Amino acid sequence: MSGREAVATAHWRRLDGEGSDRCTLSRVAQGWIMVGHAHWRDEGCDTTLSYDIRCAPDWRSLSADVAGERGGRPLSMRIEATPMGWRMDDVLQPGTEDCTDLDLSFTPATNLMPIRRLGAFAGDELRVAAAWLMPDLDCVARLDQIYTRLPDGRVHYASAGFAADLDLHGSGFATQYPGLWQGWVDDA
């Protein structure tokens, strides 16, 4: 396969404040790539970020590039998996050595990778350690997450005292993230 083959594009609007996100999932020769653009305003600060997330064919997170601006200041970072743990701009992030997934705190797009690895039957459960880009965007930390397939096809997500039942599109993108995101998906 050469180039990219688009699979689906997700569109979300934030429910907990001003903001939106748009992400296109594509198949590439080396696996998968998600290319997105998020904009939000919180505490009087505007943030606009573009992101590229690369995944292996088995949906294991490999790396991400994030760039844009926050509060009028330019922001750019590279986050990548290494055998020693996740690096952010070539700085090893402590406690991330066994993290298999990457979770960008500002977008629901990164729930896709564990959801795609989750079994298809009700009650199937996947426990993951995610390298979580913290909401202040200045470091990556370990975040334990549990995904459980529900009988109605939704997925129950739980981490760090937070839990929600996610409605899904056939692509695996969440379309309802109660209290945080509401969206829809266009098939390619």
Side-chain angles (χ1 to χ4, degrees):
M1 171 188 302
S2 63
R4 296 181 185 184
E5 177 190 344
V7 174
T9 299
H11 309 262
W12 298 282
R13 83 175 165 84
R14 287 181 72 147
L15 300 175
D16 63 340
E18 293 180 48
S20 63
D21 189 1
R22 180 179 187 271
C23 180
T24 298
L25 169 66
S26 298
R27 185 185 321 265
V28 293
Q30 306 82 2
W32 303 94
I33 189 165
M34 289 187 286
V35 176
H37 184 79
H39 171 81
W40 71 96
R41 180 178 182 81
D42 59 3
E43 299 176 15
C45 180
D46 284 318
T47 304
T48 302
L49 297 176
S50 294
Y51 56 93
D52 296 351
I53 305 164
R54 285 161 292 285
C55 304
D58 65 358
W59 295 100
R60 187 176 33 86
S61 301
L62 300 173
S63 66
D65 291 301
V66 179
E69 64 177 45
R70 182 171 198 153
R73 292 187 185 163
L75 181 118
S76 178
M77 68 186 76
R78 179 161 180 84
I79 305 168
E80 60 188 329
T82 72
M84 290 95 40
W86 285 81
R87 291 185 175 276
M88 182 171 163
D89 295 332
D90 290 326
V91 177
L92 187 63
Q93 302 295 292
T96 63
E97 55 278 348
D98 65 343
C99 293
T100 56
D101 286 282
L102 178 62
D103 185 329
L104 301 180
S105 59
F106 61 85
T107 178
T110 49
N111 291 108
L112 178 72
M113 289 85 82
I115 288 171
R116 290 298 294 250
R117 293 195 320 271
L118 178 62
F121 299 104
D124 285 349
E125 182 179 276
L126 179 65
R127 292 175 177 264
V128 301
W132 185 45
L133 176 62
M134 303 289 282
D136 56 13
L137 309 176
D138 68 352
C139 69
V140 173
R142 178 190 173 108
L143 179 64
D144 293 317
Q145 303 174 332
I146 303 170
Y147 293 83
T148 307
R149 183 77 62 186
L150 299 174
D152 61 6
R154 293 180 302 156
V155 168
H156 181 76
Y157 168 77
S159 70
F162 173 82
D165 293 342
L166 310 179
D167 291 347
L168 304 177
H169 176 264
S171 63
F173 278 126
T175 55
Q176 280 293 110
Y177 207 121
L180 296 175
W181 297 96
Q182 181 177 19
W184 71 95
V185 178
D186 297 323
D187 293 315

